[in-house]
Amino acid sequence: MAKVLYVKANPKNNEESRTFRISEHFINEYKKAHPEDEIIELDLYKENIHFLSKEEIDTIMSKDKSNLKDHPVLKYTYQFAEADKYVIATPMWNLSIPAILKAYFDYITVTGITFKYTENGAVGLLKNKKAVVIMSTGGEYLTPPFDQWDFASKYVTTMFKFFGVEDVSLIAAQRLDIIGEDVEKRVSDAMKEAEQLAKQF
């Protein structure tokens, strides 16, 4: 049985968010294909995710963290490390990700849990895992020449690889705010892509 961590980074509900329409469809199809797996939903806007304080930084950078699994920040780090698969649902905001998702990555990027330093630099500790990033964008930022402005999918994908998660897929619904665009078709196409990926994820 695999443990899937489903991280949601949008203050809108499932019906209002175009990102969540796609990610919820992915999760529902995943459940059909993998009924024995455990899905853990983590809605960042319903959690007490905040910017790290000095005291919290000092704690998570301490050498001995083995007795801190219930710490308000480190509990998220351990939860992330213990998952087998990851689903991140996020919109692109202002060419990047919502600040709350960046704050979450600050929570889970902890030496000795998700990565470590060696004589050759940083090494990810989360090997043989996989992730899917589900994203919606107002414009078209994932194809040249506009991909140079994409600091959202590149950042999330890079962080996964930093943790050692090499198998990372991206499902993106683009051009959702372009005047004259068939938005429903764009979302529908992304949902179809999500449905196919969910079966083999």
Side-chain angles (χ1 to χ4, degrees), residues 56-98:
E56 289 167 334
I57 292 173
D58 289 343
T59 298
I60 66 177
M61 292 186 69
S62 63
K63 290 185 177 180
D64 184 12
K65 295 182 274 284
S66 58
N67 63 337
L68 297 173
K69 284 200 170 186
D70 294 324
H71 183 274
V73 171
L74 288 174
K75 68 178 183 180
Y76 293 102
T77 318
Y78 283 107
Q79 180 188 56
F80 190 87
E82 291 167 2
D84 302 297
K85 303 177 184 180
Y86 308 95
V87 179
I88 301 273
T90 179
M92 173 188 276
W93 280 4
N94 306 316
L95 307 182
S96 187
I97 55 175

Side-chain angles (χ1 to χ4, degrees), residues 13-161:
N13 61 38
N14 291 344
E15 291 71 35
E16 293 175 313
S17 168
R18 297 171 298 196
T19 308
F20 290 166
R21 285 176 59 191
I22 301 165
S23 64
E24 287 294 308
H25 186 64
F26 178 92
I27 292 296
N28 289 334
E29 292 301 315
Y30 183 89
K31 288 178 179 178
K32 293 178 186 177
H34 309 84
E36 72 286 356
D37 287 0
E38 178 185 2
I39 309 290
I40 301 169
E41 181 175 310
L42 185 67
D43 187 328
L44 299 185
Y45 281 90
K46 294 179 181 177
E47 300 290 323
N48 187 30
I49 303 296
H50 54 267
F51 299 134
L52 292 173
S53 66
K54 180 187 181 302
E55 291 74 22
E56 289 167 334
I57 292 173
D58 289 343
T59 298
I60 66 177
M61 292 186 69
S62 63
K63 290 185 177 180
D64 184 12
K65 295 182 274 284
S66 58
N67 63 337
L68 297 173
K69 284 200 170 186
D70 294 324
H71 183 274
V73 171
L74 288 174
K75 68 178 183 180
Y76 293 102
T77 318
Y78 283 107
Q79 180 188 56
F80 190 87
E82 291 167 2
D84 302 297
K85 303 177 184 180
Y86 308 95
V87 179
I88 301 273
T90 179
M92 173 188 276
W93 280 4
N94 306 316
L95 307 182
S96 187
I97 55 175
I100 199 168
L101 181 55
K102 174 58 171 68
Y104 176 70
F105 274 110
D106 289 342
Y107 278 36
I108 63 177
T109 308
V110 179
T111 54
I113 303 178
T114 53
F115 79 104
K116 67 179 180 180
Y117 281 114
T118 71
E119 61 275 11
N120 296 316
V123 175
L125 297 176
L126 308 183
K127 305 293 186 180
N128 303 314
K129 303 190 180 194
K130 59 174 61 176
V132 59
V133 181
I134 298 174
M135 180 176 295
S136 62
T137 70
E140 185 170 351
Y141 299 110
L142 305 181
T143 50
F146 305 108
D147 58 331
Q148 63 183 315
W149 295 345
D150 170 26
F151 302 101
S153 71
K154 288 178 183 176
Y155 174 77
V156 178
T157 300
T158 299
M159 288 307 302
F160 272 119
K161 293 184 177 181

